[in-house]
Amino acid sequence: MAGSVTFTMIKPDAVSNNHIGAILQKINEAGFTIRAMKYTHLTPESAGKFYAIHKERGFFNDLVSFMSSGPIVAAILEKDNAVADFRDLIGATDPTKAAPGTIRAMFAKSIDANAMHGSDSDENAIIEGNFFFSELERF
Ligand code: CMP
């Protein structure tokens, strides 16, 4: 059975372009409940650790540099079938391929500055949520 939580980050581009409010509204309207949330700023070291799964990819250094370039909003979201439904809501990784009305189609500029992160599996949703939040920070 599909899990009920996913993890997301509103990335530095969307934060600096003042899209936090519009993005949270889209998330709530899509039926997700916020279980934990924080406004924070990744260091290059912490961004590299979070994205360690991509460390052999050619885009890794640019990804780490971008994700530590400014503040982000990290959150754990709850909904039935959360991982798949959230990936539908945010759209394709490359915003030029994202369906109209998705968050990336509306707010992202490029595959690097693509506005949002969304977990790709139930297992990673738990790992990623645990990276940012302690038990005491979840409701
Ligand atoms: P995200 O969902 O946060 O996961 C890894 C990120 O790497 C991805 O979003 C993109 O912003 C970034 N990225 C840059 N180039 C690529 C690529 N060619 N394929 C996948 N992700 C990429």
Side-chain angles (χ1 to χ4, degrees):
M1 193 172 94
S4 62
V5 297
T6 191
F7 171 80
T8 188
M9 290 181 285
I10 302 176
K11 296 189 177 186
D13 58 314
V15 171
S16 67
N17 289 322
N18 295 320
H19 294 317
I20 294 174
I23 287 172
L24 291 179
Q25 184 172 357
K26 294 266 300 174
I27 288 171
N28 281 149
E29 285 172 355
F32 290 87
T33 302
I34 296 166
R35 288 294 172 204
M37 183 158 66
K38 70 172 66 162
Y39 183 82
T40 186
H41 193 151
L42 290 166
T43 63
E45 291 72 23
S46 55
K49 200 169 158 197
F50 181 86
Y51 280 115
I53 194 168
H54 295 305
K55 67 175 180 292
E56 305 304 332
R57 307 287 297 272
F59 59 80
F60 179 73
N61 288 342
D62 286 344
L63 175 62
V64 166
S65 170
F66 172 67
M67 288 303 297
S68 56
S69 67
I72 61 153
V73 176
I76 296 173
L77 307 174
E78 183 174 24
K79 181 183 184 296
D80 287 347
N81 200 35
V83 167
D85 285 2
F86 192 71
R87 288 173 77 82
D88 286 346
L89 178 67
I90 65 177
T93 305
D94 180 348
T96 65
K97 297 178 180 144
T102 60
I103 290 175
R104 283 170 171 156
M106 292 174 72
F107 301 115
K109 299 281 182 288
S110 69
I111 196 167
D112 296 307
N114 67 350
M116 300 290 291
H117 169 79
S119 303
D120 63 3
S121 67
D122 293 342
E123 182 187 13
N124 282 336
I126 301 299
I127 292 168
E128 292 172 358
N130 287 342
F131 185 91
F132 279 90
F133 298 100
S134 71
E135 279 302 313
L136 288 173
E137 293 172 308
R138 299 158 196 235
F139 300 96

